[in-house]
Amino acid sequence: EVELDYFSGGKAAPSRRPVQPRELFSHRGQWYLSAFCLTRNDERLFRLDRMAKVVVTERTFSPPPVSGRTVPGQDDPQAKVKVRFTAAAAPYLKERFGDQARALPDSGLEVEVPGDSPGWLTSWVLSFGGDARVVEPMWAVKAVAEAARASLES
C-alpha cells in the first residue's frame, strides 16, 4: 500500500490517503494513479501533480481482478484528435506527453488526444493561443475555429 498527501477540490491543505495502486497512466497529457482509496472505500483517480508526498508502506495487498474499465476515448480511433504545437510550446508539451509527442521538422510537436469531450478539447487548444492548431479530424478543426470566433465576438 501507498500513502499519499493529496490536494483535492480546492482545499488549502493535503489530506493523507492510504491507497492500493492499480495503474499509472497518462490521459490528455496528465498523469493519473488509479487506486483503491481506503479512506473513501472506493476506486479513485489521483492526479500526480496534486500529490505532495508519496510513501510506500509495509502493508501489502492482493491485486483485484482486472476491472476492464478504460479511459474514455482511449481505444476508439475515431475519437482521436491531432493537435500541432509551435516550437515555443514544444518544451511544455514534451514534458506532459513524453514519447507520445511527435517531433516536427520546424521544432514543434504533434500530439493525439481523445476527442470524446469537445468542450474540453476546444478550451484546452484555445488556452495555447496561437501556439496550437487542430489538424484533424475536420469536426474538431471546425469546433475550435467556431469557439475562437465566438470568443472574439463577445
Side-chain angles (χ1 to χ4, degrees):
E1 292 180 6
V2 174
E3 290 185 354
L4 312 172
D5 285 350
Y6 191 73
F7 289 94
S8 64
K11 294 182 180 168
S15 61
R16 175 64 49 102
R17 299 283 193 95
V19 301
Q20 297 174 338
R22 303 290 194 249
E23 179 183 13
L24 184 65
F25 64 93
S26 174
H27 180 61
R28 295 182 176 152
Q30 186 67 52
W31 282 94
Y32 293 89
L33 172 67
S34 173
F36 185 83
C37 177
L38 297 166
T39 302
R40 303 285 191 255
N41 200 30
D42 194 15
E43 292 284 331
R44 298 291 166 124
L45 290 178
F46 298 93
R47 280 182 34 181
L48 266 60
D49 64 331
R50 292 184 178 177
M51 294 178 191
K53 184 178 182 183
V54 178
V55 177
V56 178
T57 70
E58 297 293 322
R59 296 181 304 271
T60 61
F61 63 96
S62 297
V66 176
S67 70
R69 291 186 349 182
T70 61
V71 175
Q74 195 168 7
D75 298 326
D76 182 2
Q78 299 290 336
K80 295 290 185 188
V81 175
K82 265 188 203 173
V83 184
R84 288 192 182 149
F85 295 89
T86 65
Y92 169 75
L93 277 298
K94 183 65 177 164
E95 184 177 303
R96 294 255 338 234
F97 285 87
D99 291 341
Q100 295 174 349
R102 187 174 70 83
L104 298 173
D106 63 359
S107 299
L109 289 176
E110 182 176 272
V111 299
E112 284 190 346
V113 295
D116 59 337
S117 175
W120 171 84
L121 177 71
T122 55
S123 63
W124 182 68
V125 170
L126 293 176
S127 75
F128 289 94
D131 289 326
R133 180 173 58 88
V134 175
V135 180
E136 60 184 40
M138 191 50 68
W139 70 262
V141 173
K142 289 178 181 177
V144 172
E146 184 178 307
R149 273 192 296 279
S151 70
L152 291 172
E153 292 172 1
S154 33

